Amino acid sequence: EMITVVDRIRDWKEAIQLASVPLLNKGVISNQYVEAMIAAHDYYRPYMILGQSMAIPHAKREYGVNKLGMSLLIVRKGVLFSDQLNVHFVVVIAPADAYQHVKAIYQLTVLSSKEDVLRNMLANPTKAEVIRSLRTISEERTLYSERER
């Protein structure tokens, strides 16, 4: 329900809007939050980009986050978030608090560094395959954390 896959999209604004639809439909965020994410993005100096192909639009929760949530838009052909950055994954973050915000950014940073997983998600963008890929990363992180103890 929180994953949308498209071949192409007009521009980064439409990407943020489409990526937000599952969260809007569930009442996780408001339209004001979507507008705030769009207003916060700087096309010429994008800071909401992780790795080479992931955008993480978000805004302050007081702009309309009702509860914790996250949604994923996969754009198979990519969408320009700047002159140089062709993004394939748009993850909208709706943080309930600062801790959840930092935790989500950390998890997405890990995901954005897994080029093989991202390539697989792009090549096989079925919802089942995306969920399987995300679970694999989660399991890897759990095993790594247990080794550190």
Side-chain angles (χ1 to χ4, degrees):
E1 292 178 4
M2 301 309 240
I3 300 168
T4 306
V5 180
V6 297
D7 279 334
R8 61 177 45 103
I9 201 152
R10 185 177 61 240
D11 60 22
W12 63 269
K13 290 178 185 178
E14 187 178 13
I16 291 174
Q17 290 166 339
L18 185 57
S20 300
V21 168
L23 297 171
L24 286 165
N25 289 343
K26 294 277 187 187
V28 174
I29 60 173
S30 69
N31 282 317
Q32 182 186 3
Y33 188 74
V34 178
E35 292 167 15
M37 288 188 293
I38 290 170
H41 179 64
D42 184 342
Y43 185 83
Y44 300 101
R45 289 181 291 167
Y47 70 93
M48 294 189 216
I49 307 295
L50 294 177
Q52 296 298 310
S53 62
M54 184 178 294
I56 53 165
H58 56 285
K60 293 181 180 178
R61 62 179 200 145
E62 49 270 11
Y63 286 114
V65 173
N66 300 317
K67 55 188 170 184
L68 176 66
M70 197 179 296
S71 63
L72 169 64
L73 170 66
I74 299 174
V75 184
R76 295 185 79 179
K77 304 284 186 198
V79 59
L80 290 174
F81 265 71
S82 79
D83 288 335
Q84 306 292 317
L85 295 167
N86 190 38
V87 167
H88 293 277
F89 304 93
V90 181
V91 182
V92 173
I93 303 169
D97 57 42
Y99 172 76
Q100 293 297 332
H101 178 88
V102 171
K103 183 177 175 185
I105 299 280
Y106 171 75
Q107 290 170 332
L108 293 169
T109 300
V110 170
L111 175 60
S112 72
S113 71
K114 303 282 189 178
E115 290 294 323
D116 56 329
V117 173
L118 294 176
R119 268 193 305 275
N120 184 52
M121 287 170 55
L122 205 52
N124 305 298
T126 65
K127 292 178 183 181
E129 185 59 34
V130 170
I131 291 168
R132 190 192 68 71
S133 296
L134 296 174
R135 281 194 180 128
T136 299
I137 289 176
S138 180
E139 289 167 7
E140 286 176 8
R141 283 190 47 247
T142 301
L143 289 173
Y144 182 75
S145 296
E146 289 173 359
R147 281 190 222 135
E148 287 181 331
R149 291 181 190 164

